Amino acid sequence: MITFSNISKKYITPHGSIPALVDINLSVPKGKIYGIIGKSGAGKSTLIRCANLLERPTSGNIIVDDEDLTTLPPTQLRQARRKIGMIFQHFNLLSSCNVYDNIALPLTLSKTTSTAIKKIIMPLLELVGLTDKEHNFPAQLSGGQKQRVAIARALASNPKVLLSDEATSALDPETTETILQLLKNIRDTFNVTILLITHEMSVIKTCCDFVGILHEGKLLEENDVGEFFAYPKTAVAKNFVTASFSTKLPLNITQHLQNVSSADTHPIMRFYFMGDAATQPIISQLINQFRLRINILQGNIEYIKNHAVGTLVIALSGNANDLQNALNYLTSLNIHTEIIGHVPNNVIAFSE
């Protein structure tokens, strides 16, 4: 449904050209939600603006619904864009128009009759849960309600594709959850293909079918979401995955945490379980095979698209050789380990 073929984008400045996208190749299947994640400056916004040629790529082809947008003359490009809805981070609503008129804007501009507009807008108001806000103005709405208006407006032209540019980054977590559920409902109801960009791994986990990592303008890795979380391939992807499971340590631990080990301390470690390792009896193996004493401080396992992933924070006690052998064993199982620090022996108790 959406194909980026050898897409590159360079910005020309007085000091030379700056590459924003470098040879991007990706495909978004029909009826799926594809999330692009990356840090600020990775090229995410440029990528999504290239999808409907708001930014024209320096080279390469953008194909949407079997139509190469990069080869279309202006009149045909305008027609093709009507099949592509866009949702913006800051809503982009007209403050002087009420909810109904904001949603109707694309239809009004295309000279659709008022009777036909009403037949389209009223079901959309119901879909996004704003039937009681029809006559309200943007200043009277919450952030989540404004984004629902923007989503309804994007659907008014009956698009085949939705582009979402950080649509939830300005919203609180609870509202974000409801907007993501709405996007999934829209995908399921209308079989719309959705391409979204985000810097939040929670959005990818909650909403997407596929994910791509954008880093310094390059698509480093892409995969099914479950496979991505369970088996990240690149260092950048692993960092995103592990960061999404990081949790705060208990206060009684952080108060005594030291950077350097000594004879009077023992290590605090965080394990990141991905794929098959998340369901293995790791703790019992560490105790029985390496003669370690263990105190579990925190733990969490999630199932993402039927793949188990999670994190575990433990305190360990044992001799140095056994500890090192245990770390080597965990590495052999593809379990990412991190020594958070060391705490005095009298802070945490271990059963004998």
Side-chain angles (χ1 to χ4, degrees):
M1 175 56 79
I2 307 172
T3 300
F4 290 72
S5 179
N6 304 117
I7 291 296
S8 293
K9 173 68 178 180
K10 295 180 180 179
Y11 291 105
I12 306 301
T13 74
H15 306 288
S17 65
I18 300 174
L21 298 173
V22 182
D23 199 26
I24 301 295
N25 290 281
L26 69 84
S27 294
V28 184
K30 181 178 176 61
K32 299 298 183 181
I33 302 177
Y34 191 116
I36 296 288
I37 191 163
K39 296 180 179 179
S40 297
K44 302 188 302 297
S45 292
T46 301
L47 178 73
I48 204 163
R49 288 171 64 85
C50 282
N52 60 359
L53 261 59
L54 289 179
E55 289 278 1
R56 185 169 285 272
T58 305
S59 61
N61 303 88
I62 305 286
I63 301 167
V64 178
D65 196 24
D66 297 324
E67 196 166 32
D68 189 344
L69 303 188
T70 54
T71 64
L72 296 179
T75 300
Q76 289 179 261
L77 179 58
R78 285 194 294 271
Q79 290 294 329
R81 281 175 173 158
R82 293 181 181 177
K83 297 186 292 185
I84 306 172
M86 193 158 189
I87 309 165
F88 300 92
Q89 177 181 356
H90 298 296
F91 323 128
N92 289 12
L93 303 181
L94 298 180
S95 60
S96 59
C97 293
N98 62 24
V99 166
Y100 183 99
D101 290 336
N102 264 290
I103 298 173
L105 183 62
L107 302 174
T108 303
L109 293 175
S110 64
K111 302 188 185 306
T112 306
T113 67
S114 58
T115 301
I117 288 176
K118 187 169 185 178
K119 287 182 180 179
I120 294 170
I121 301 306
M122 298 314 292
L124 288 177
L125 284 168
E126 185 174 355
L127 174 71
V128 300
L130 292 175
T131 52
D132 60 334
K133 304 294 184 183
E134 175 184 353
H135 302 294
N136 287 42
F137 287 84
Q140 299 170 300
L141 303 176
S142 68
Q145 289 169 336
K146 290 176 184 177
Q147 195 57 282
R148 287 171 179 271
V149 175
I151 291 171
R153 180 185 59 195
L155 292 172
S157 297
N158 193 29
K160 295 183 178 181
V161 168
L162 277 182
L163 306 177
S164 173
D165 185 356
E166 296 273 14
T168 61
S169 63
L171 306 176
D172 62 80
E174 183 177 351
T175 304
T176 292
E177 185 74 23
T178 62
I179 293 298
L180 295 178
Q181 187 58 53
L182 176 59
L183 289 178
K184 289 196 290 185
N185 290 343
I186 289 168
R187 185 271 311 271
D188 295 339
T189 302
F190 300 104
N191 198 31
V192 172
T193 304
I194 300 176
L195 175 64
L196 64 82
I197 64 169
T198 183
H199 63 274
E200 301 170 295
M201 286 298 282
S202 59
V203 172
I204 301 295
K205 282 195 286 187
T206 302
C207 189
C208 297
D209 302 299
F210 298 93
V211 58
I213 290 277
L214 200 63
H215 181 70
E216 296 181 348
K218 299 176 182 178
L219 187 65
L220 292 188
E221 180 176 343
E222 59 176 334
N223 211 332
D224 163 88
V225 165
E227 290 285 326
F228 172 79
F229 275 91
Y231 306 105
K233 300 170 186 174
T234 62
V236 174
K238 288 176 182 177
N239 287 339
F240 269 110
V241 171
T242 54
S244 72
F245 289 99
S246 293
T247 52
K248 292 183 179 180
L249 291 171
L251 184 60
N252 68 312
I253 301 297
T254 57
Q255 287 176 333
H256 298 92
L257 204 61
Q258 302 172 13
N259 292 326
V260 181
S261 65
S262 69
D264 298 323
T265 65
H266 51 255
I268 305 296
M269 297 191 64
R270 181 182 281 118
F271 302 158
Y272 295 100
F273 299 90
M274 303 170 192
D276 297 335
T279 57
Q280 297 301 309
I282 302 300
I283 297 301
S284 62
Q285 289 173 338
L286 294 180
I287 293 171
N288 296 327
Q289 188 171 340
F290 299 99
R291 301 174 296 279
L292 300 179
R293 293 186 297 167
I294 292 176
N295 189 328
I296 298 175
L297 305 178
Q298 288 179 340
N300 178 49
I301 292 181
E302 293 184 41
Y303 284 85
I304 302 171
K305 307 286 186 181
N306 298 318
H307 289 274
V309 291
T311 183
L312 188 67
V313 178
I314 64 174
L316 299 96
S317 178
N319 69 56
N321 285 336
D322 288 336
L323 284 170
Q324 186 58 55
N325 288 335
L327 288 178
N328 294 339
Y329 171 70
L330 293 171
T331 300
S332 73
L333 296 178
N334 199 30
I335 295 174
H336 177 74
T337 60
E338 173 191 3
I339 297 178
I340 301 171
H342 306 265
V343 296
N345 293 334
N346 62 352
V347 172
I348 297 176
F350 294 91
S351 59
E352 298 294 336

